[in-house]
Amino acid sequence: MKNEIETIKKSIWDSASLIGRSLNLMEVCGTHTMAISKYGLRDIMPPNINLISGPGCPVCVTSITDIDRIIMLSRKYPAGIFTFGDMIKVPGSDSSLYLERSRGSDINICYSPKDALDFAIGNPHKEVIFIAIGFETTIPLTAVLIERARMQDIKNFSIINLHKLVPPALKALLEDREIRIDGFLSPGHVSVIIGSHPYEFICKEYGIPCVISGFEPYDIMTSIDMLLRQIKQGKPEVQIQYSSVVRESGNPGALKIIDQVFNPCDSDWRGIGCIPGSGLTLRKKFVNYDSSLRFPIEEINSADPAGCICGEILKGKKNPGQCRLFGKSCRPDHPVGPCMVSSEGSCAAYYRYERFKSHFVKNLP
Ligand code: SF4
């Protein structure tokens, strides 16, 4: 394997040298961000290759208004709220779910959405709310859960629907004139569900290559090599490096259940704003499972934390080293923004693996 990595590295350096100009390659997925930092892949890139992070961490792209709404809901209603671990520490405007739990709100960490539904079934007099978060990878799980709740006529279960879709976010980034992206490393597990077709607009409309990548260092290096070869040849296309699990047409069963339960809608992303068609809303037949209708709360004026540049980082415009709070007032034990909280966040990755490296404060071109 060592020899194979060396061969790929040489190919990357040869292509980068031939191309000559500076290139921004965006890894869309937070798991890629972590792997790149953990295995020091930035250290072995040619100087003209910038690996920049994108909006692929679901916790990080959840807007602060949505965080504040959940906090408000936990204060106002005696429901049991179930969430994945990272969400609990994300700071809202003046609190977090973690703080609210210490003040008495019924907030629970779960490892699977099924835990929340099982709790609702076992406690029929208790309202149970699941915070449904994640991209196409986790949406089928929520859809199955909702369908099961309807079939079993579970009346005390609902979801706060924060699911988001990846391709519309990539389109929004490509439309932003302040960001130059020369290639996408697309997320492997999202692509297991949606396949490769939904990315085709990237090369057809914007002339930018796209490689669906696995998560091991070998996968990521190979995918970078594939991107550079496309750039060198001037033939942008969507390629699948993670071919052991990704099919062009995705997973038809998962896509079908998503379509049965949800309709596309607009959605707010932290740092990016409202992206058309990037969210999902429950279809009419499942509307009783929408927490926002069952547990209304008043309008909230939310503001992102002062000095936090998570929004710019999620768009690939800045890196964590350019945040003046990094490692000072913002640390994993005291996060100011979600990118320092999440196990897939860029700031957490840099803090853990890269903060003492020389490239840390590297200005993007
Ligand atoms: S270091 Fe903290 S404050 Fe700065 S961008 Fe990252 S999460 Fe936000």
Side-chain angles (χ1 to χ4, degrees), residues 305-311 313 319-320 322-327 329-331 334-341 346-348:
C308 173
I309 60 165
C310 277
I313 291 170
N319 73 40
Q322 292 167 299
C323 176
R324 62 189 168 80
L325 307 186
F326 182 93
S329 57
C330 184
R331 304 176 309 276
H334 182 273
V336 173
C339 297
M340 188 61 93
V341 174
S346 296
C347 298

Side-chain angles (χ1 to χ4, degrees), residues 28-30 54-62 132-142 162-167 169 187 189-191 193-194 258 269 278 280 314 344:
V28 177
C29 175
C57 157
V59 170
C60 304
V61 296
T62 298
I133 188 171
F135 302 119
E136 289 88 338
T137 325
T138 54
I139 296 169
L141 291 174
T142 306
L162 301 177
H163 282 307
K164 292 185 174 12
L165 305 173
V166 167
H189 30 35
V190 163
S191 309
I193 305 298
I194 65 173
I258 292 174
W269 294 57
S278 68
L280 293 169
L314 291 164
E344 296 191 339

Side-chain angles (χ1 to χ4, degrees), residues 88-113:
I88 202 165
K89 285 196 195 157
V90 177
S93 294
D94 65 358
S95 184
S96 66
L97 291 174
Y98 188 73
L99 261 178
E100 293 305 316
R101 184 168 72 169
S102 70
R103 290 168 181 160
S105 289
D106 188 0
I107 294 161
N108 308 273
I109 292 175
C110 61
Y111 298 97
S112 155

Side-chain angles (χ1 to χ4, degrees), residues 59-72 90-95 164 268-271 300-306 308 336-338:
V59 170
C60 304
V61 296
T62 298
S63 74
I64 193 160
T65 306
D66 284 331
I67 303 286
D68 284 344
R69 279 198 191 113
I70 304 170
I71 289 169
M72 186 81 83
V90 177
S93 294
D94 65 358
S95 184
K164 292 185 174 12
D268 272 331
W269 294 57
R270 189 183 290 251
I300 299 170
N301 285 324
S302 303
D304 283 316
C308 173
V336 173

